[in-house]
Amino acid sequence: MNNIKAVYFIGIGGIGMSALARYFAQKGLVVGGYDRTPSSLTRQLEHEGMLIHYEENIDMLPHACRRKDETLVVYTPAVPPEHKELQWLRQEGYRIEKRAQVLGRLTCQHRALCVAGTHGKTTTSAMCAHIMHQSRFDCNAFLGGITKNYGTNYILAPDSDYVVVEADEYDRSFHWLRPWATVITATDPDHLDIYGTKEAYLESFAHYTELIQQGGALVIHRGLEMRPRLPESVRCYDYSRDGGDFHADNVRIADGNITFDLVSPFENVRNIELGQPVPINVENAVAAIALAQLAGCNSQEIRVAMKTFSGVDRRFDFRIRTPQLVLLSDYAHHPKEIEQSARSLRELYADRHITAIFQPHLYTRTRDFYREFADALSVLDEVILTDIYPAREQPIPGVTSQLIYDCLAPDVEKQLITLDDVLPLVKSRNFDVLVILGAGNLDNLMPDIAKVLSARL
């Protein structure tokens, strides 16, 4: 890597790719990239000096990225192999690596605190990064969401020995990592377009545990079906909200605040107040604090950090919070994530009418889990479904949002609309608690939705 002077990202607008792009830019390298469409994130990257274009056209490759012996090309598995620029760069003999390969190299150079799992990993890793960054240890961090505290998905601390990484199981990317300590939050099957079977998915996590560095540690959610295969010197702990080596005790929810005590094999910590008081964040906090304690953080550092943690964009992200109206956005796109989000809303707003506008993400995920999606959404009072967001996939005959719609509980109010219908519907309706759910482009409408609803207040 010593001769690399420029890095070119194919898919630079992805949340994980942009974090790496920022890392190399802050290291003083020229950073260029392609993405399919502009976004608020790509515009921010351009503002930070990165050279980005939005057309598959090799003639638009930045001049500094044309010296193949001095350029590293990084791509995401979401980019199809027939991508014109990727094909040309391969033919020309550029050095090309997956994002996960590059990230894996960084985990070998630091004490890596990694968070893996089907869901909960973005908030948990962001919490851990905030604790470490606020502590005497500091950290580098590569996260899967934009943190409210820092306005970015990346933290650079050149003098810190620690790096916090969100470990993504898609395309087995986390197999490139070498964690010093890792949390596994959940192993509910997902990405079956890649893995094929539940058994293969669980095997992938089992293999991930074999990659923990000697003398490291695994903190695994209690009761997971997956069985770890740990190197001999690796310690193993379990956790959950209500039990395990690490768990919460004396949880108090009152007046919009959540406080709890941590039970830990290292040091019990009393009166931890959540800066983002959402019930599911109690369990996320337990996991994040476990990693921070393994790194050596003390109780005072933990209390201060947890009280000041402001959350992550699109993760139980409140946009309006008044007695008359609540509006929030949640990236939840797996049935278990949606169930956790829905139950947290029920716990917070037991006597209010809760409506979700949900955009399913991927045809394959909808095909594989439409019954589970319907069960999770049926916790709510009303469900409005939009078209499936395809992302990298082509349509599958017979797979539409109708599959979920038909399986919703009989007592749930329901409606099926197109994405174009969302804003007119919001303008025509009154809501009590409204949550915008999904990982697709529905959230792009959130500023307009918030503007319409705020005007009524």
Side-chain angles (χ1 to χ4, degrees):
M1 292 286 287
N2 293 334
N3 66 321
I4 298 298
K5 297 179 180 177
V7 187
Y8 186 70
F9 288 84
I10 302 179
I12 194 169
I15 196 71
M17 292 281 276
S18 61
L20 265 184
R22 283 171 158 149
Y23 171 82
F24 284 113
Q26 290 194 30
K27 289 287 187 182
L29 279 68
V30 176
V31 175
Y34 157 88
D35 209 86
R36 187 170 56 179
T37 55
S39 66
S40 58
L41 183 51
T42 58
R43 285 190 287 270
Q44 181 61 38
L45 297 179
E46 290 184 77
H47 180 71
E48 293 169 18
M50 300 182 209
L51 309 170
I52 302 175
H53 61 272
Y54 305 93
E55 177 185 332
E56 287 186 42
N57 185 347
I58 203 64
D59 293 335
M60 301 180 77
L61 198 72
H63 179 74
C65 299
R66 292 183 177 274
R67 294 186 285 271
K68 65 181 179 182
D69 294 335
E70 298 177 354
T71 301
L72 172 66
V73 177
V74 184
Y75 74 101
T76 166
V79 173
E82 63 270 15
H83 189 279
K84 293 176 184 176
E85 292 187 11
L86 186 57
Q87 285 185 330
W88 185 87
L89 291 162
R90 286 193 193 283
Q91 291 167 4
E92 292 297 309
Y94 276 74
R95 178 175 176 176
I96 300 174
E97 295 186 0
K98 288 183 178 181
R99 168 187 170 269
Q101 289 175 263
V102 181
L103 204 52
R105 193 179 298 116
L106 294 177
T107 64
C108 294
Q109 298 167 0
H110 297 82
R111 283 197 163 192
L113 307 175
C114 302
V115 181
T118 314
H119 44 80
K121 55 184 176 285
T122 298
T123 299
T124 302
S125 56
M127 282 180 171
C128 181
H130 183 61
I131 299 170
M132 295 296 296
H133 185 55
Q134 297 289 313
S135 78
R136 64 195 183 280
F137 298 105
D138 207 341
C139 73
N140 301 275
F142 297 88
L143 308 172
I146 304 297
T147 61
K148 300 269 190 163
N149 291 86
Y150 308 108
T152 181
N153 52 352
Y154 166 65
I155 296 172
L156 176 65
D159 297 327
S160 176
D161 190 36
Y162 289 94
V163 58
V164 177
V165 175
E166 180 172 333
D168 186 6
E169 78 275 14
Y170 174 70
D171 197 40
R172 299 176 174 84
S173 292
F174 62 168
H175 289 174
W176 292 99
L177 305 180
R178 296 296 180 269
W180 176 74
T182 186
V183 160
I184 297 180
T185 63
T187 54
D188 304 296
D190 196 11
H191 304 301
L192 296 186
D193 55 323
I194 298 294
Y195 289 100
T197 65
K198 168 185 168 182
E199 290 71 26
Y201 187 76
L202 295 175
E203 166 59 28
S204 186
F205 276 91
H207 175 63
Y208 171 70
T209 65
E210 295 179 309
L211 306 176
I212 300 171
Q213 295 178 22
Q214 294 291 329
L218 168 66
V219 182
I220 187 168
H221 194 286
R222 176 176 268 197
L224 296 191
E225 191 173 349
M226 185 273 299
R227 293 291 170 261
R229 294 197 296 267
L230 300 177
E232 189 173 332
S233 64
V234 172
R235 296 160 287 167
C236 185
Y237 306 92
D238 66 353
Y239 83 97
S240 73
R241 172 168 166 164
D242 301 316
D245 298 311
F246 297 90
H247 67 268
D249 188 32
N250 192 24
V251 179
R252 288 93 77 194
I253 301 177
D255 301 323
N257 298 312
I258 299 180
T259 307
F260 69 95
D261 302 331
L262 176 79
V263 177
S264 161
F266 297 104
E267 179 188 12
N268 293 345
V269 185
R270 297 190 63 190
N271 299 321
I272 298 169
E273 183 179 342
L274 291 182
Q276 193 195 29
V278 179
I280 185 58
N281 277 350
V282 174
E283 187 165 84
N284 291 333
V286 169
I289 294 168
L291 284 180
Q293 284 194 327
L294 283 163
C297 291
N298 62 39
S299 59
Q300 182 60 17
E301 290 169 330
I302 288 164
R303 281 195 205 93
V304 170
M306 293 314 305
K307 187 173 181 178
T308 57
F309 179 71
S310 301
V312 182
D313 279 354
R314 297 184 68 183
R315 268 68 174 187
F316 225 91
D317 185 2
F318 288 96
R319 304 300 180 91
I320 300 173
R321 198 173 187 180
T322 71
Q324 298 81 26
L325 173 68
V326 175
L327 172 66
L328 68 153
S329 170
D330 198 329
Y331 190 76
H333 56 283
H334 183 278
K336 282 291 183 181
E337 293 172 337
I338 290 172
E339 181 184 1
Q340 289 180 338
S341 180
R343 294 197 182 283
S344 286
L345 284 167
R346 271 278 170 246
E347 195 169 351
L348 286 170
Y349 304 110
D351 301 323
R352 299 180 67 171
H353 188 278
I354 305 173
T355 302
I357 303 179
F358 174 52
Q359 181 186 43
H361 185 268
L362 298 180
Y363 293 104
T364 52
R365 187 180 283 125
T366 305
R367 176 198 64 199
D368 295 333
F369 302 116
Y370 66 89
R371 292 183 183 87
E372 290 85 350
F373 276 122
D375 289 344
L377 290 164
S378 293
V379 173
L380 305 175
D381 300 296
E382 181 181 7
V383 177
I384 300 165
L385 291 162
T386 75
D387 304 327
I388 295 171
Y389 181 73
R392 56 189 176 268
E393 294 184 338
Q394 296 300 314
I396 298 174
V399 178
T400 70
S401 298
Q402 186 80 41
L403 291 173
I404 301 171
Y405 181 91
D406 291 341
C407 292
L408 289 166
D411 59 339
V412 174
E413 300 172 40
K414 58 185 181 179
Q415 196 171 348
L416 200 58
I417 64 175
T418 68
L419 192 64
D420 291 337
D421 294 329
V422 170
L423 206 53
L425 181 141
V426 170
K427 291 177 179 177
S428 69
R429 287 279 312 275
N430 290 316
F431 296 99
D432 187 5
V433 178
L434 175 62
V435 56
I436 307 300
L437 284 172
N441 58 355
L442 172 61
D443 194 72
N444 294 344
L445 297 176
M446 181 56 91
D448 292 325
I449 293 171
K451 184 177 179 181
V452 168
L453 297 179
S454 295
R456 292 184 191 158
L457 295 174

